[in-house]
Amino acid sequence: MPLCNLSAIPPLTAALVPLLAPRAPQVPPLPPVEPLPTAAQLRWQALATSGFVDLRRGPGDAEDAVATCRAANLDALLVAPGSGAEAVDRVARVAAACAEAGLPLGLVLDLDTDGADEAARLADSVEQLLAVAGPVVSVALEPEPGDARVRLPEAVIERVRLQRPGTVLVGPAGPDARALGADSVPEAHWSSLRRGNLPDTDARATILRAGDEEGGRWVPAQARLALRDDPAAAAELTAAHAASVGRGATLRVDLPLDDQGRVAAGARAALLAWARARA
């Protein structure tokens, strides 16, 4: 009988054939190369391009901002609500519009603290805003121009971690993502930084912008483009997107508002032209 005709072999013998066959050696998987992103950081990086509106000088039109982001296929909406009771109302209105449209929301706050008491007040303000915002993908704190601080107050970090464990904290040097003032990152760009304090020298700005190949913690970058109120700004958005998202960073697009609090017509035209070119 043919040797390959297993149907003619007694059942017990046929069952032993696979056990007697030589097996390939079991090679254990290689350990992951650190640093590794958290699940929250991966979700944040997937929202590659976000629109930003500054509501600190007025209420703005939440529905228009959300509709503009949706029409341009932006991945999220970031808002700077200011402070006080008016900020809570603004966040509640924007959060409702984002929830209805299924658009992720992030908050951008002023890092204007100086001392433990002011840090505690800022932490209380963050908690009030989070209470009405619902789920948010990120909380970013920005220092004033010329402010060289890069660390966020521990009181704010602890409050956000407690209230929204899956929210990414964005600051000049993290802790979860780093915000850049530039509209691009270098071609040799890394999403990691070294552990410990950054050097208090001119090299710090270079490290924050480019990242560190030898870094031991995952801190991806967010570039920033102030979109002009001009349809021709679509070309600038295309270039900034390629030099940021195309290199592993994310991109925040600052949207100018008109006197009615709506996204300015020229900027909206630039966004839509950019979106059509990508389709």
Side-chain angles (χ1 to χ4, degrees):
M1 65 178 178
L3 294 178
C4 61
N5 185 7
L6 295 181
S7 61
I9 300 177
L12 179 60
T13 306
L16 292 175
V17 170
L19 298 178
L20 298 176
R23 294 185 179 182
Q26 297 297 314
V27 179
L30 295 175
V33 178
E34 296 186 346
L36 299 176
T38 65
Q41 287 173 316
L42 287 176
R43 288 193 299 269
W44 180 83
Q45 285 190 269
L47 305 174
T49 311
S50 301
F52 166 79
V53 292
D54 190 344
L55 306 180
R56 286 171 289 193
R57 297 179 180 82
D61 188 326
E63 290 76 13
D64 175 72
V66 170
T68 299
C69 288
R70 274 300 183 210
N73 293 324
L74 298 182
D75 300 307
L77 174 62
L78 312 177
V79 297
S83 59
E86 292 181 348
V88 174
D89 293 339
R90 292 165 185 162
V91 169
R93 188 169 58 254
V94 175
C98 284
E100 183 176 352
L103 185 68
L105 172 65
L107 302 179
V108 179
L109 308 176
D110 295 325
L111 181 58
D112 55 0
T113 63
D114 187 11
D117 291 341
E118 291 189 18
R121 283 194 290 271
L122 177 58
D124 291 340
S125 175
V126 169
E127 183 173 350
Q128 293 174 358
L129 295 175
L130 289 176
V132 299
V136 293
V137 294
S138 62
V139 172
L141 283 93
E142 294 183 338
E144 294 291 328
D147 190 336
R149 285 178 297 172
V150 296
R151 293 185 60 85
L152 304 188
E154 288 298 328
V156 175
I157 295 176
E158 293 174 1
R159 198 71 60 91
V160 173
R161 297 284 193 238
L162 178 64
Q163 299 294 325
R164 296 290 187 276
T167 295
V168 166
L169 273 161
V170 185
D176 300 325
R178 63 189 198 272
L180 311 179
D183 62 3
S184 64
V185 296
E187 290 187 20
H189 163 258
W190 303 91
S191 292
S192 54
L193 292 176
R194 298 197 183 195
R195 299 186 186 277
N197 295 328
L198 291 166
D200 191 17
T201 64
D202 293 340
R204 181 168 65 181
T206 300
I207 293 173
L208 289 175
R209 186 162 180 257
D212 193 326
E213 181 179 2
E214 304 297 330
R217 59 191 181 103
W218 190 268
V219 192
Q222 180 186 67
R224 176 180 177 181
L225 171 69
L227 191 65
R228 294 186 299 111
D229 183 15
D230 185 343
E236 299 166 13
L237 179 53
T238 299
H241 188 270
S244 56
V245 177
R247 295 173 181 172
T250 65
L251 178 63
R252 165 182 144 179
V253 183
D254 293 7
L255 307 178
L257 302 180
D258 61 19
D259 294 339
Q260 285 72 46
R262 300 168 64 87
V263 176
R268 181 182 176 87
L271 278 171
L272 296 181
W274 172 75
R276 287 194 297 271
R278 297 178 67 208

